[in-house]
Amino acid sequence: MKPWLPLVFFTSAFLIWHAEAEFFTSIGQMTDLIYAEKDLVQSLKEYIRAEETKLSQIKSWAEKMDVLTSKSTSDPEGYLAHPVNAYKLVKRLNTDWLELENLVLQDTTNGFITNLTIQRQFFPTEEDETGAAKALMRLQDTYKLDPETLSRGNLPGTKYRSSLTVSDCFGMGKTAYNDGDYYHTVLWMEQALKQHDEGEDTTVSKVEILDYLSYAVFQFGDLHRAMELTRRLISLDSTHERAGSNLRYFEKLLEKEREKSSNKTVATTEPVVQSGAYERPLDYLPERDIYEALCRGEGVKMTPRRQKRLFCRYHNGNRNPHLVIAPFKEEDEWDSPHIVRYYDVMSDEEIEKIKQLAKPKLARATVRDPKTGVLTVASYRVSKSSWLEEDDDPVVAKVNQRMQQITGLTVKTAELLQVANYGMGGQYEPHFDFSRKDEPDAFKRLGTGNRVATFLNYMSDVEAGGATVFPDFGAAIWPKKGTAVFWYNLFRSGEGDYRTRHAACPVLVGCKWVSNKWFHERGNEFLRPCGRTEVD
């Protein structure tokens, strides 16, 4: 019997998969762009060589003609007195200069332009560029990185260092501005201005930077600084109409503020904005601070007392015949809820094969809004995933069987093996794997009950970031290639364990590959029988 087809589930919305190219969401697919760019560079070099050959021929002709015309113009009649010179002059002007004209007009761009046109259909889109910029901002926020650190490329575990130019920083600021995100607009426009002031060569003008920065600062209510920046802009370009209009508007607002403050006899309780320091706006995620702190390795509640309750052991799957002779190494990651890590679950060869099978199928997730029914990209889940069936390759069946042996649960009613690759800033914000009481029909189509357990394989090491965190009880589990973590989403009673709300932290540096298997209730009634209480 084949595993049930996957039903991907998150809050009241169903995740639908499609094959739109959103390269920044998958490092695995972004590697193709590296080779495409290399091919374009080779094509460009060939074009340059062709142009250089053409220019060399033109230059040689010009030098020869320069010598000849210097001689002929010194004594035109004497020069033309020789009949051969007269014939050659006529021939040159009628034939040779025409050949030169054809050489000059010769289009050597065909090969390069053709290749560029072919490759362009696979290029990232404007939406990709926006997504990549937002991914950098996500890393900036989660790991508390200032723009200077990101701009200079000072990140841990990086092999190839890179930096952002004034133009890059300006582009980041514009992306934030166009999204109505004035917090990041200020941060990145300030960084662009700083690097500009330091003398970095750029085509972006200070006027352009100050134009965006002054307005973004104004949006935070910092009227004094907005005026200061606008005056600086006008000092650079006195004809800037919008800046002049803005300055007059700011001055009127400031005058009104002064009148209000002079009329007040009671001290105000309104918050005062400290010039240049702005708070990051609150968003939809209630546990945002806890989640991001855990991603940074802060706030992990691993006390000495809890540490003493964690052990390592050999696991034979309750004397499973396949594991008695070769048990797996099992390590407690957390005591309650019980989370364990298994070592050497997948070999390097198996991992590479599964990645190879998954790459052509990788697709970005979208969510269907339960109210409008409109499909939209899920900002809380930035990765690409694919689903592998046992018929795809024997290695899939082998890995499925191994997870069944380790857990003692059946894979017959489990979902297909899901493989995910996280791109730059790739994440999956806090979520439940199981369906809650207000979503009783989440897995109705499958007819296999709720998701009883999660088995998560780490198929790569990650240089920085990418932890799996549990905000409710303060646990952080870091990826280790070839290992897997396992936990139950439901108590034995079938009630959901709300403590298992978890998240995949953004990948700061590296490429994160994981695969997972969701086991369901049906078929496991006797393999994991009910307990005596609701929370057993």
PDB file of all heavy atoms in Angstrom, residues 6-14 415 433-451 520-522:
ATOM      1  N   PRO A   6       0.154  13.776   0.226  1.00  0.00           N
ATOM      2  CA  PRO A   6       0.308  14.785   1.271  1.00  0.00           C
ATOM      3  C   PRO A   6      -0.793  15.832   1.259  1.00  0.00           C
ATOM      4  O   PRO A   6      -1.236  16.270   0.211  1.00  0.00           O
ATOM      5  CB  PRO A   6       1.655  15.440   0.932  1.00  0.00           C
ATOM      6  CG  PRO A   6       1.760  15.273  -0.542  1.00  0.00           C
ATOM      7  CD  PRO A   6       1.128  13.947  -0.857  1.00  0.00           C
ATOM      8  N   LEU A   7      -1.201  16.215   2.440  1.00  0.00           N
ATOM      9  CA  LEU A   7      -2.077  17.380   2.582  1.00  0.00           C
ATOM     10  C   LEU A   7      -1.317  18.359   3.447  1.00  0.00           C
ATOM     11  O   LEU A   7      -1.164  18.151   4.638  1.00  0.00           O
ATOM     12  CB  LEU A   7      -3.395  16.994   3.256  1.00  0.00           C
ATOM     13  CG  LEU A   7      -4.385  18.139   3.439  1.00  0.00           C
ATOM     14  CD1 LEU A   7      -4.876  18.621   2.074  1.00  0.00           C
ATOM     15  CD2 LEU A   7      -5.561  17.701   4.279  1.00  0.00           C
ATOM     16  N   VAL A   8      -0.765  19.397   2.825  1.00  0.00           N
ATOM     17  CA  VAL A   8       0.063  20.339   3.567  1.00  0.00           C
ATOM     18  C   VAL A   8      -0.838  21.331   4.262  1.00  0.00           C
ATOM     19  O   VAL A   8      -1.727  21.902   3.659  1.00  0.00           O
ATOM     20  CB  VAL A   8       1.006  21.079   2.602  1.00  0.00           C
ATOM     21  CG1 VAL A   8       1.941  21.946   3.364  1.00  0.00           C
ATOM     22  CG2 VAL A   8       1.773  20.059   1.791  1.00  0.00           C
ATOM     23  N   PHE A   9      -0.597  21.568   5.570  1.00  0.00           N
ATOM     24  CA  PHE A   9      -1.577  22.274   6.367  1.00  0.00           C
ATOM     25  C   PHE A   9      -0.916  23.325   7.250  1.00  0.00           C
ATOM     26  O   PHE A   9       0.120  23.095   7.818  1.00  0.00           O
ATOM     27  CB  PHE A   9      -2.267  21.222   7.218  1.00  0.00           C
ATOM     28  CG  PHE A   9      -3.250  21.783   8.163  1.00  0.00           C
ATOM     29  CD1 PHE A   9      -4.462  22.244   7.699  1.00  0.00           C
ATOM     30  CD2 PHE A   9      -2.959  21.853   9.495  1.00  0.00           C
ATOM     31  CE1 PHE A   9      -5.379  22.751   8.587  1.00  0.00           C
ATOM     32  CE2 PHE A   9      -3.864  22.361  10.371  1.00  0.00           C
ATOM     33  CZ  PHE A   9      -5.077  22.803   9.916  1.00  0.00           C
ATOM     34  N   PHE A  10      -1.540  24.499   7.312  1.00  0.00           N
ATOM     35  CA  PHE A  10      -1.035  25.561   8.203  1.00  0.00           C
ATOM     36  C   PHE A  10      -2.163  26.514   8.530  1.00  0.00           C
ATOM     37  O   PHE A  10      -2.752  27.109   7.645  1.00  0.00           O
ATOM     38  CB  PHE A  10       0.100  26.324   7.521  1.00  0.00           C
ATOM     39  CG  PHE A  10       0.737  27.323   8.426  1.00  0.00           C
ATOM     40  CD1 PHE A  10       1.791  26.966   9.225  1.00  0.00           C
ATOM     41  CD2 PHE A  10       0.264  28.616   8.503  1.00  0.00           C
ATOM     42  CE1 PHE A  10       2.379  27.889  10.062  1.00  0.00           C
ATOM     43  CE2 PHE A  10       0.835  29.532   9.335  1.00  0.00           C
ATOM     44  CZ  PHE A  10       1.904  29.162  10.117  1.00  0.00           C
ATOM     45  N   THR A  11      -2.421  26.705   9.818  1.00  0.00           N
ATOM     46  CA  THR A  11      -3.519  27.557  10.335  1.00  0.00           C
ATOM     47  C   THR A  11      -4.781  27.354   9.519  1.00  0.00           C
ATOM     48  O   THR A  11      -4.933  27.142   8.645  1.00  0.00           O
ATOM     49  CB  THR A  11      -3.121  29.043  10.364  1.00  0.00           C
ATOM     50  OG1 THR A  11      -2.781  29.480   9.082  1.00  0.00           O
ATOM     51  CG2 THR A  11      -2.040  29.262  11.339  1.00  0.00           C
ATOM     52  N   SER A  12      -5.645  27.660   9.151  1.00  0.00           N
ATOM     53  CA  SER A  12      -6.858  27.494   8.377  1.00  0.00           C
ATOM     54  C   SER A  12      -6.592  27.592   6.874  1.00  0.00           C
ATOM     55  O   SER A  12      -7.473  27.883   6.140  1.00  0.00           O
ATOM     56  CB  SER A  12      -7.884  28.505   8.792  1.00  0.00           C
ATOM     57  OG  SER A  12      -8.083  28.415  10.169  1.00  0.00           O
ATOM     58  N   ALA A  13      -5.347  27.460   6.454  1.00  0.00           N
ATOM     59  CA  ALA A  13      -5.070  27.608   5.030  1.00  0.00           C
ATOM     60  C   ALA A  13      -4.373  26.373   4.508  1.00  0.00           C
ATOM     61  O   ALA A  13      -3.642  25.726   5.225  1.00  0.00           O
ATOM     62  CB  ALA A  13      -4.184  28.826   4.799  1.00  0.00           C
ATOM     63  N   PHE A  14      -4.622  26.041   3.255  1.00  0.00           N
ATOM     64  CA  PHE A  14      -3.979  24.892   2.632  1.00  0.00           C
ATOM     65  C   PHE A  14      -2.832  25.374   1.761  1.00  0.00           C
ATOM     66  O   PHE A  14      -2.984  26.310   0.988  1.00  0.00           O
ATOM     67  CB  PHE A  14      -4.978  24.103   1.785  1.00  0.00           C
ATOM     68  CG  PHE A  14      -6.046  23.478   2.615  1.00  0.00           C
ATOM     69  CD1 PHE A  14      -7.249  24.134   2.815  1.00  0.00           C
ATOM     70  CD2 PHE A  14      -5.839  22.249   3.217  1.00  0.00           C
ATOM     71  CE1 PHE A  14      -8.232  23.567   3.592  1.00  0.00           C
ATOM     72  CE2 PHE A  14      -6.819  21.682   3.990  1.00  0.00           C
ATOM     73  CZ  PHE A  14      -8.019  22.339   4.185  1.00  0.00           C
ATOM     74  N   GLU A 415       2.226  10.413   5.394  1.00  0.00           N
ATOM     75  CA  GLU A 415       2.307  11.208   4.169  1.00  0.00           C
ATOM     76  C   GLU A 415       3.601  10.884   3.440  1.00  0.00           C
ATOM     77  O   GLU A 415       4.512  10.272   4.001  1.00  0.00           O
ATOM     78  CB  GLU A 415       2.200  12.694   4.502  1.00  0.00           C
ATOM     79  CG  GLU A 415       0.839  13.069   5.074  1.00  0.00           C
ATOM     80  CD  GLU A 415       0.761  14.514   5.536  1.00  0.00           C
ATOM     81  OE1 GLU A 415       1.189  15.407   4.778  1.00  0.00           O
ATOM     82  OE2 GLU A 415       0.262  14.744   6.654  1.00  0.00           O
ATOM     83  N   ASP A 433       2.269  21.206  13.584  1.00  0.00           N
ATOM     84  CA  ASP A 433       2.167  20.191  12.542  1.00  0.00           C
ATOM     85  C   ASP A 433       0.800  19.513  12.558  1.00  0.00           C
ATOM     86  O   ASP A 433       0.354  18.981  11.540  1.00  0.00           O
ATOM     87  CB  ASP A 433       3.261  19.135  12.707  1.00  0.00           C
ATOM     88  CG  ASP A 433       4.612  19.614  12.189  1.00  0.00           C
ATOM     89  OD1 ASP A 433       4.653  20.673  11.530  1.00  0.00           O
ATOM     90  OD2 ASP A 433       5.631  18.938  12.443  1.00  0.00           O
ATOM     91  N   PHE A 434       0.137  19.494  13.714  1.00  0.00           N
ATOM     92  CA  PHE A 434      -1.152  18.816  13.830  1.00  0.00           C
ATOM     93  C   PHE A 434      -2.292  19.818  13.654  1.00  0.00           C
ATOM     94  O   PHE A 434      -2.101  21.036  13.735  1.00  0.00           O
ATOM     95  CB  PHE A 434      -1.279  18.110  15.189  1.00  0.00           C
ATOM     96  CG  PHE A 434      -1.274  19.045  16.366  1.00  0.00           C
ATOM     97  CD1 PHE A 434      -2.469  19.550  16.885  1.00  0.00           C
ATOM     98  CD2 PHE A 434      -0.089  19.429  16.981  1.00  0.00           C
ATOM     99  CE1 PHE A 434      -2.479  20.411  17.968  1.00  0.00           C
ATOM    100  CE2 PHE A 434      -0.078  20.292  18.066  1.00  0.00           C
ATOM    101  CZ  PHE A 434      -1.280  20.782  18.571  1.00  0.00           C
ATOM    102  N   SER A 435      -3.496  19.305  13.395  1.00  0.00           N
ATOM    103  CA  SER A 435      -4.662  20.176  13.263  1.00  0.00           C
ATOM    104  C   SER A 435      -5.297  20.388  14.628  1.00  0.00           C
ATOM    105  O   SER A 435      -5.361  19.468  15.442  1.00  0.00           O
ATOM    106  CB  SER A 435      -5.683  19.570  12.296  1.00  0.00           C
ATOM    107  OG  SER A 435      -6.217  18.378  12.828  1.00  0.00           O
ATOM    108  N   ARG A 436      -5.755  21.617  14.872  1.00  0.00           N
ATOM    109  CA  ARG A 436      -6.363  21.964  16.149  1.00  0.00           C
ATOM    110  C   ARG A 436      -7.876  21.719  16.119  1.00  0.00           C
ATOM    111  O   ARG A 436      -8.444  21.402  15.076  1.00  0.00           O
ATOM    112  CB  ARG A 436      -6.089  23.437  16.487  1.00  0.00           C
ATOM    113  CG  ARG A 436      -4.765  23.654  17.188  1.00  0.00           C
ATOM    114  CD  ARG A 436      -3.577  23.506  16.251  1.00  0.00           C
ATOM    115  NE  ARG A 436      -3.521  24.588  15.276  1.00  0.00           N
ATOM    116  CZ  ARG A 436      -3.012  24.434  14.047  1.00  0.00           C
ATOM    117  NH1 ARG A 436      -2.566  23.252  13.650  1.00  0.00           N
ATOM    118  NH2 ARG A 436      -2.963  25.447  13.214  1.00  0.00           N
ATOM    119  N   LYS A 437      -8.524  21.908  17.268  1.00  0.00           N
ATOM    120  CA  LYS A 437      -9.953  21.611  17.388  1.00  0.00           C
ATOM    121  C   LYS A 437     -10.814  22.481  16.491  1.00  0.00           C
ATOM    122  O   LYS A 437     -11.902  22.075  16.083  1.00  0.00           O
ATOM    123  CB  LYS A 437     -10.386  21.766  18.857  1.00  0.00           C
ATOM    124  CG  LYS A 437      -9.851  20.658  19.756  1.00  0.00           C
ATOM    125  CD  LYS A 437     -10.344  20.827  21.178  1.00  0.00           C
ATOM    126  CE  LYS A 437      -9.844  19.691  22.064  1.00  0.00           C
ATOM    127  NZ  LYS A 437     -10.314  19.833  23.465  1.00  0.00           N
ATOM    128  N   ASP A 438     -10.341  23.703  16.184  1.00  0.00           N
ATOM    129  CA  ASP A 438     -11.132  24.581  15.332  1.00  0.00           C
ATOM    130  C   ASP A 438     -10.908  24.272  13.848  1.00  0.00           C
ATOM    131  O   ASP A 438     -11.406  24.977  12.976  1.00  0.00           O
ATOM    132  CB  ASP A 438     -10.812  26.049  15.623  1.00  0.00           C
ATOM    133  CG  ASP A 438      -9.339  26.375  15.433  1.00  0.00           C
ATOM    134  OD1 ASP A 438      -8.525  25.426  15.415  1.00  0.00           O
ATOM    135  OD2 ASP A 438      -9.002  27.570  15.302  1.00  0.00           O
ATOM    136  N   GLU A 439     -10.123  23.221  13.577  1.00  0.00           N
ATOM    137  CA  GLU A 439      -9.871  22.799  12.197  1.00  0.00           C
ATOM    138  C   GLU A 439     -10.104  21.284  12.079  1.00  0.00           C
ATOM    139  O   GLU A 439      -9.197  20.526  11.733  1.00  0.00           O
ATOM    140  CB  GLU A 439      -8.431  23.127  11.799  1.00  0.00           C
ATOM    141  CG  GLU A 439      -8.119  24.601  11.880  1.00  0.00           C
ATOM    142  CD  GLU A 439      -6.681  24.896  12.280  1.00  0.00           C
ATOM    143  OE1 GLU A 439      -6.016  24.029  12.857  1.00  0.00           O
ATOM    144  OE2 GLU A 439      -6.235  26.014  12.020  1.00  0.00           O
ATOM    145  N   PRO A 440     -11.304  20.809  12.375  1.00  0.00           N
ATOM    146  CA  PRO A 440     -11.568  19.368  12.468  1.00  0.00           C
ATOM    147  C   PRO A 440     -11.470  18.635  11.139  1.00  0.00           C
ATOM    148  O   PRO A 440     -11.281  17.413  11.120  1.00  0.00           O
ATOM    149  CB  PRO A 440     -12.994  19.305  13.031  1.00  0.00           C
ATOM    150  CG  PRO A 440     -13.627  20.601  12.589  1.00  0.00           C
ATOM    151  CD  PRO A 440     -12.520  21.608  12.637  1.00  0.00           C
ATOM    152  N   ASP A 441     -11.594  19.354  10.030  1.00  0.00           N
ATOM    153  CA  ASP A 441     -11.610  18.687   8.723  1.00  0.00           C
ATOM    154  C   ASP A 441     -10.282  18.780   7.983  1.00  0.00           C
ATOM    155  O   ASP A 441     -10.210  18.498   6.786  1.00  0.00           O
ATOM    156  CB  ASP A 441     -12.708  19.304   7.848  1.00  0.00           C
ATOM    157  CG  ASP A 441     -14.088  19.097   8.443  1.00  0.00           C
ATOM    158  OD1 ASP A 441     -14.284  18.082   9.141  1.00  0.00           O
ATOM    159  OD2 ASP A 441     -14.961  19.962   8.209  1.00  0.00           O
ATOM    160  N   ALA A 442      -9.225  19.173   8.685  1.00  0.00           N
ATOM    161  CA  ALA A 442      -7.939  19.413   8.032  1.00  0.00           C
ATOM    162  C   ALA A 442      -7.441  18.195   7.261  1.00  0.00           C
ATOM    163  O   ALA A 442      -6.965  18.314   6.130  1.00  0.00           O
ATOM    164  CB  ALA A 442      -6.900  19.834   9.063  1.00  0.00           C
ATOM    165  N   PHE A 443      -7.566  17.014   7.852  1.00  0.00           N
ATOM    166  CA  PHE A 443      -7.059  15.799   7.209  1.00  0.00           C
ATOM    167  C   PHE A 443      -8.191  14.830   6.861  1.00  0.00           C
ATOM    168  O   PHE A 443      -7.968  13.632   6.720  1.00  0.00           O
ATOM    169  CB  PHE A 443      -6.030  15.116   8.119  1.00  0.00           C
ATOM    170  CG  PHE A 443      -4.885  16.013   8.498  1.00  0.00           C
ATOM    171  CD1 PHE A 443      -4.722  16.445   9.805  1.00  0.00           C
ATOM    172  CD2 PHE A 443      -3.979  16.449   7.550  1.00  0.00           C
ATOM    173  CE1 PHE A 443      -3.680  17.278  10.163  1.00  0.00           C
ATOM    174  CE2 PHE A 443      -2.931  17.284   7.889  1.00  0.00           C
ATOM    175  CZ  PHE A 443      -2.778  17.704   9.200  1.00  0.00           C
ATOM    176  N   LYS A 444      -9.400  15.378   6.756  1.00  0.00           N
ATOM    177  CA  LYS A 444     -10.571  14.535   6.491  1.00  0.00           C
ATOM    178  C   LYS A 444     -10.423  13.779   5.171  1.00  0.00           C
ATOM    179  O   LYS A 444     -10.793  12.605   5.068  1.00  0.00           O
ATOM    180  CB  LYS A 444     -11.830  15.398   6.477  1.00  0.00           C
ATOM    181  CG  LYS A 444     -13.122  14.609   6.360  1.00  0.00           C
ATOM    182  CD  LYS A 444     -14.328  15.540   6.446  1.00  0.00           C
ATOM    183  CE  LYS A 444     -15.626  14.742   6.360  1.00  0.00           C
ATOM    184  NZ  LYS A 444     -16.818  15.631   6.473  1.00  0.00           N
ATOM    185  N   ARG A 445      -9.878  14.462   4.161  1.00  0.00           N
ATOM    186  CA  ARG A 445      -9.738  13.840   2.848  1.00  0.00           C
ATOM    187  C   ARG A 445      -8.832  12.620   2.896  1.00  0.00           C
ATOM    188  O   ARG A 445      -9.023  11.652   2.153  1.00  0.00           O
ATOM    189  CB  ARG A 445      -9.192  14.864   1.839  1.00  0.00           C
ATOM    190  CG  ARG A 445      -9.024  14.318   0.432  1.00  0.00           C
ATOM    191  CD  ARG A 445      -8.662  15.427  -0.549  1.00  0.00           C
ATOM    192  NE  ARG A 445      -7.382  16.035  -0.212  1.00  0.00           N
ATOM    193  CZ  ARG A 445      -6.211  15.524  -0.593  1.00  0.00           C
ATOM    194  NH1 ARG A 445      -6.151  14.407  -1.278  1.00  0.00           N
ATOM    195  NH2 ARG A 445      -5.090  16.149  -0.277  1.00  0.00           N
ATOM    196  N   LEU A 446      -7.840  12.648   3.755  1.00  0.00           N
ATOM    197  CA  LEU A 446      -6.918  11.518   3.858  1.00  0.00           C
ATOM    198  C   LEU A 446      -7.562  10.322   4.551  1.00  0.00           C
ATOM    199  O   LEU A 446      -7.217   9.175   4.270  1.00  0.00           O
ATOM    200  CB  LEU A 446      -5.649  11.934   4.619  1.00  0.00           C
ATOM    201  CG  LEU A 446      -4.781  13.025   3.985  1.00  0.00           C
ATOM    202  CD1 LEU A 446      -3.546  13.266   4.838  1.00  0.00           C
ATOM    203  CD2 LEU A 446      -4.370  12.655   2.567  1.00  0.00           C
ATOM    204  N   GLY A 447      -8.449  10.616   5.502  1.00  0.00           N
ATOM    205  CA  GLY A 447      -9.079   9.528   6.250  1.00  0.00           C
ATOM    206  C   GLY A 447      -8.118   8.794   7.147  1.00  0.00           C
ATOM    207  O   GLY A 447      -8.330   7.613   7.472  1.00  0.00           O
ATOM    208  N   THR A 448      -7.054   9.466   7.577  1.00  0.00           N
ATOM    209  CA  THR A 448      -6.037   8.802   8.407  1.00  0.00           C
ATOM    210  C   THR A 448      -5.881   9.465   9.772  1.00  0.00           C
ATOM    211  O   THR A 448      -4.917   9.184  10.495  1.00  0.00           O
ATOM    212  CB  THR A 448      -4.664   8.827   7.689  1.00  0.00           C
ATOM    213  OG1 THR A 448      -4.342  10.185   7.339  1.00  0.00           O
ATOM    214  CG2 THR A 448      -4.705   7.976   6.434  1.00  0.00           C
ATOM    215  N   GLY A 449      -6.800  10.356  10.113  1.00  0.00           N
ATOM    216  CA  GLY A 449      -6.702  11.017  11.408  1.00  0.00           C
ATOM    217  C   GLY A 449      -5.668  12.115  11.411  1.00  0.00           C
ATOM    218  O   GLY A 449      -5.183  12.561  10.365  1.00  0.00           O
ATOM    219  N   ASN A 450      -5.317  12.550  12.593  1.00  0.00           N
ATOM    220  CA  ASN A 450      -4.400  13.680  12.764  1.00  0.00           C
ATOM    221  C   ASN A 450      -2.944  13.233  12.627  1.00  0.00           C
ATOM    222  O   ASN A 450      -2.632  12.046  12.620  1.00  0.00           O
ATOM    223  CB  ASN A 450      -4.628  14.304  14.152  1.00  0.00           C
ATOM    224  CG  ASN A 450      -4.366  15.796  14.158  1.00  0.00           C
ATOM    225  OD1 ASN A 450      -3.685  16.334  13.288  1.00  0.00           O
ATOM    226  ND2 ASN A 450      -4.926  16.486  15.142  1.00  0.00           N
ATOM    227  N   ARG A 451      -2.042  14.226  12.542  1.00  0.00           N
ATOM    228  CA  ARG A 451      -0.606  13.921  12.504  1.00  0.00           C
ATOM    229  C   ARG A 451      -0.126  13.609  13.910  1.00  0.00           C
ATOM    230  O   ARG A 451      -0.008  14.500  14.755  1.00  0.00           O
ATOM    231  CB  ARG A 451       0.168  15.106  11.938  1.00  0.00           C
ATOM    232  CG  ARG A 451       0.022  15.290  10.435  1.00  0.00           C
ATOM    233  CD  ARG A 451       0.714  16.566  10.002  1.00  0.00           C
ATOM    234  NE  ARG A 451       0.659  16.742   8.550  1.00  0.00           N
ATOM    235  CZ  ARG A 451       0.929  17.875   7.924  1.00  0.00           C
ATOM    236  NH1 ARG A 451       1.265  18.951   8.632  1.00  0.00           N
ATOM    237  NH2 ARG A 451       0.875  17.962   6.614  1.00  0.00           N
ATOM    238  N   HIS A 520       0.475   9.453  10.835  1.00  0.00           N
ATOM    239  CA  HIS A 520      -0.914   9.743  11.207  1.00  0.00           C
ATOM    240  C   HIS A 520      -1.452   8.719  12.201  1.00  0.00           C
ATOM    241  O   HIS A 520      -0.849   7.663  12.414  1.00  0.00           O
ATOM    242  CB  HIS A 520      -1.794   9.812   9.960  1.00  0.00           C
ATOM    243  CG  HIS A 520      -1.656  11.099   9.203  1.00  0.00           C
ATOM    244  ND1 HIS A 520      -2.658  12.037   9.147  1.00  0.00           N
ATOM    245  CD2 HIS A 520      -0.607  11.632   8.513  1.00  0.00           C
ATOM    246  CE1 HIS A 520      -2.242  13.078   8.434  1.00  0.00           C
ATOM    247  NE2 HIS A 520      -1.002  12.851   8.031  1.00  0.00           N
ATOM    248  N   GLU A 521      -2.597   9.035  12.776  1.00  0.00           N
ATOM    249  CA  GLU A 521      -3.182   8.201  13.837  1.00  0.00           C
ATOM    250  C   GLU A 521      -3.599   6.818  13.339  1.00  0.00           C
ATOM    251  O   GLU A 521      -3.305   5.811  13.995  1.00  0.00           O
ATOM    252  CB  GLU A 521      -4.409   8.900  14.435  1.00  0.00           C
ATOM    253  CG  GLU A 521      -4.087  10.154  15.233  1.00  0.00           C
ATOM    254  CD  GLU A 521      -5.350  10.839  15.727  1.00  0.00           C
ATOM    255  OE1 GLU A 521      -6.101  11.388  14.881  1.00  0.00           O
ATOM    256  OE2 GLU A 521      -5.590  10.805  16.950  1.00  0.00           O
ATOM    257  N   ARG A 522      -4.281   6.771  12.195  1.00  0.00           N
ATOM    258  CA  ARG A 522      -4.810   5.491  11.725  1.00  0.00           C
ATOM    259  C   ARG A 522      -3.677   4.507  11.432  1.00  0.00           C
ATOM    260  O   ARG A 522      -2.673   4.866  10.830  1.00  0.00           O
ATOM    261  CB  ARG A 522      -5.647   5.693  10.452  1.00  0.00           C
ATOM    262  CG  ARG A 522      -6.836   6.584  10.630  1.00  0.00           C
ATOM    263  CD  ARG A 522      -7.882   5.988  11.610  1.00  0.00           C
ATOM    264  NE  ARG A 522      -8.946   6.954  11.843  1.00  0.00           N
ATOM    265  CZ  ARG A 522      -8.987   7.749  12.902  1.00  0.00           C
ATOM    266  NH1 ARG A 522      -8.042   7.677  13.819  1.00  0.00           N
ATOM    267  NH2 ARG A 522      -9.983   8.602  13.047  1.00  0.00           N
TER     268      ARG A 522
END
